[in-house]
Amino acid sequence: MTSEKNMGLIEVTNIGKVFKDEDVETHALRDVSFVIEKGEFVAIMGPSGSGKSTLLQILGFLDRQSSGVYKFNNKTMDQLTDDELAKIRNKKMGFVFQSFNLLPRTSVLENVKLPLLYSDFKESEWNKLAMDAIESVGLGHRKDHEPSQLSGGEKQRAAIARALVNDPEIIFADEPTGNLDTKSGQVIMEILQDLNEKEKRTVILITHETYTAEHAQRILFMRDGNVESDKQVQNRHFAKKEFHK
């Protein structure tokens, strides 16, 4: 019998995804299989159109595969309803996107509190939970600012705080440095790496940048809907822990 410690947090077996437009079928994913253990930091790389964003949508319960089996925490997801998947997603997963997805004309604090509306946490706890998340990314001095008053790096830190507020098991980061300059992007990668190393959170990063991917422990490289390679990072970049300055 497999011990729980050796079970993957995410296990996908022969996952396929087909998009149909009238009589035309597009195969976005083809027989993709891999395991991601709890506490891993995995980067998924590949050129545009390789299937990496489609894969993230499936892993994050934002879409369903056309074929194959997806297990999360050793439970097969295929039989669950969309509402059941949404509940798991809200409790177990946090998302960070390239475009930040912050509400305009709404403070950082209120943006970070948003996921708590659908959580089991008491409303009396929301402010503290949100402030803890905001402080953890070094943004406490900006809690009352609206997104238009923040730099790109600060917007992404607010988005990370929002992803953390429900204390998720796993963080999905989709091109989180794509709209940032090099220095701001480095700060974001240091925060993600810190969350993985210190808090033992699982991080799955979608990126096309090799330097960004090398903050991870492992890189899955995708091409034409397939996993072309799955390798450990040999020369890993380590966080400098400077983001609180």
Side-chain angles (χ1 to χ4, degrees):
M1 185 174 176
T2 306
S3 67
E4 185 172 344
K5 144 173 119 166
N6 294 324
M7 290 177 183
L9 175 64
I10 284 176
E11 299 179 59
V12 297
T13 307
N14 302 126
I15 289 289
K17 180 65 179 180
V18 180
F19 293 103
K20 296 182 179 180
D21 183 8
E22 296 180 353
D23 295 329
V24 178
E25 289 189 350
T26 302
H27 290 260
L29 297 174
R30 300 172 183 268
D31 293 328
V32 172
S33 299
F34 57 81
V35 175
I36 295 176
E37 304 288 347
K38 291 181 180 180
E40 275 198 283
F41 188 159
V42 178
I44 301 175
M45 291 192 72
S48 179
S50 61
K52 58 187 187 296
S53 292
T54 300
L55 179 59
L56 179 139
Q57 296 274 318
I58 292 169
L59 297 181
F61 302 158
L62 300 169
D63 197 2
R64 292 180 185 262
Q65 71 270 25
S66 304
S67 58
V69 178
Y70 176 17
K71 288 185 177 181
F72 183 81
N73 267 335
N74 208 41
K75 294 180 181 176
T76 302
M77 297 293 101
D78 303 4
Q79 285 79 38
L80 299 183
T81 66
D82 288 346
D83 283 347
E84 289 168 329
L85 290 178
K87 286 179 182 176
I88 297 173
R89 185 170 63 238
N90 187 252
K91 284 186 176 182
K92 303 286 188 181
M93 299 175 176
F95 294 86
V96 181
F97 298 100
Q98 178 177 345
S99 56
F100 318 127
N101 291 0
L102 298 172
L103 289 181
R105 297 182 297 282
T106 306
S107 70
V108 168
L109 179 61
E110 294 303 315
N111 265 289
V112 172
K113 283 164 61 174
L114 275 175
L116 297 171
L117 290 169
Y118 310 100
S119 73
D120 295 329
F121 292 107
K122 296 176 182 176
E123 190 171 353
S124 59
E125 300 174 329
W126 291 1
N127 269 7
K128 183 181 186 307
L129 289 167
M131 279 308 304
D132 286 348
I134 291 167
E135 295 285 0
S136 77
V137 298
L139 210 59
H141 63 298
R142 296 292 211 184
K143 67 181 177 67
D144 296 320
H145 287 62
E146 296 179 2
S148 62
Q149 300 171 302
L150 304 178
S151 68
E154 288 171 337
K155 289 177 186 177
Q156 197 59 289
R157 281 197 266 168
I160 292 173
R162 183 184 55 196
L164 290 173
V165 75
N166 273 345
D167 193 24
E169 276 190 61
I170 183 167
I171 299 289
F172 291 101
D174 190 0
E175 300 279 7
T177 63
N179 282 337
L180 306 179
D181 60 48
T182 302
K183 185 177 179 181
S184 298
Q186 177 68 15
V187 171
I188 294 306
M189 291 314 303
E190 288 175 2
I191 292 173
L192 292 174
Q193 199 165 354
D194 211 45
L195 291 170
N196 173 251
E197 292 172 2
K198 285 190 172 181
E199 300 186 18
K200 309 303 179 189
R201 295 186 198 270
T202 306
V203 179
I204 297 180
L205 169 73
I206 302 289
T207 184
H208 64 277
E209 299 167 330
T210 301
Y211 183 84
T212 303
E214 287 175 348
H215 282 271
Q217 300 161 325
R218 174 180 163 206
I219 297 175
L220 300 179
F221 190 86
M222 298 191 68
R223 192 183 301 278
D224 299 329
N226 296 292
V227 175
E228 191 173 79
S229 64
D230 181 351
K231 297 179 179 178
Q232 296 294 313
V233 176
Q234 299 301 316
N235 298 305
R236 190 180 182 203
H237 295 304
F238 286 95
K240 297 175 184 175
K241 312 295 192 295
E242 294 179 348
F243 57 84
H244 291 298
K245 291 184 179 180

